[in-house]
Amino acid sequence: MLPAVCSLLAEMATSRHSYSPLTCCDMCCAAQVTNERFWMPAWPVVELLTGQAFQLAADVRVIKNFAMHIINERRKQLATATEAGVHADSTNEATNEAKVAAGRDLLSLFMASEGPDGKPLTDQQLVDTVLNFIIAG
């Protein structure tokens, strides 16, 4: 399963985006270090001595930035679809289709939903949700 996720992430990262790319190594190295923690009781000491702690922090930062980029791109798409719907004539089928399509995915639904406190989900909650979907496949 992990190789499939890595190839998907590599494909997504090398597409038309202008941010620092998420590489397969970032995800695989983070997964490997996390897995090793289950089998090594002294993992905090080992990670500090080998430098894995710093590499893991850098990998996690890249992964979270990638997820935040996905969220920001979706916000732009939703804003563009909303503006197009407001400024266009209501008989324009292409604009209406774009507006409907922009809100038909799980991320858009999460962005529109509210948390248990009645407030919109925070960026951190959205990043966690995106990472759940990426990791789960």
Side-chain angles (χ1 to χ4, degrees):
M1 169 95 164
L2 189 57
V5 170
C6 288
S7 64
L8 173 66
L9 291 174
E11 179 182 324
M12 290 168 49
T14 57
S15 63
R16 55 183 167 75
H17 301 296
S18 61
Y19 58 93
S20 69
L22 173 67
T23 64
C24 179
C25 182
D26 297 320
M27 189 66 125
C28 292
C29 291
Q32 179 181 356
V33 170
T34 305
N35 186 36
E36 289 173 359
R37 288 179 174 183
F38 285 108
W39 310 111
M40 192 178 317
W43 64 264
V45 175
V46 172
E47 285 184 13
L48 283 175
L49 293 175
T50 62
Q52 282 182 328
F54 303 110
Q55 184 61 46
L56 179 62
D59 292 342
V60 168
R61 192 170 33 256
V62 169
I63 293 167
K64 286 187 176 186
N65 287 341
F66 177 74
M68 195 65 216
H69 178 76
I70 291 171
I71 293 166
N72 288 334
E73 286 294 314
R74 181 54 41 86
R75 282 188 177 134
K76 288 178 189 174
Q77 290 172 354
L78 291 173
T80 302
T82 302
E83 288 176 11
V86 169
H87 297 298
D89 184 61
S90 61
T91 60
N92 185 349
E93 291 179 23
T95 303
N96 289 337
E97 287 176 7
K99 186 176 178 182
V100 171
R104 280 194 170 171
D105 61 282
L106 289 173
L107 179 56
S108 298
L109 294 174
F110 275 105
M111 292 172 78
S113 68
E114 297 175 348
D117 57 357
K119 297 179 183 176
L121 297 178
T122 64
D123 283 349
Q124 183 59 46
Q125 290 170 318
L126 291 172
V127 165
D128 292 343
T129 301
V130 167
L131 291 178
N132 265 334
F133 285 114
I134 290 173
I135 292 168

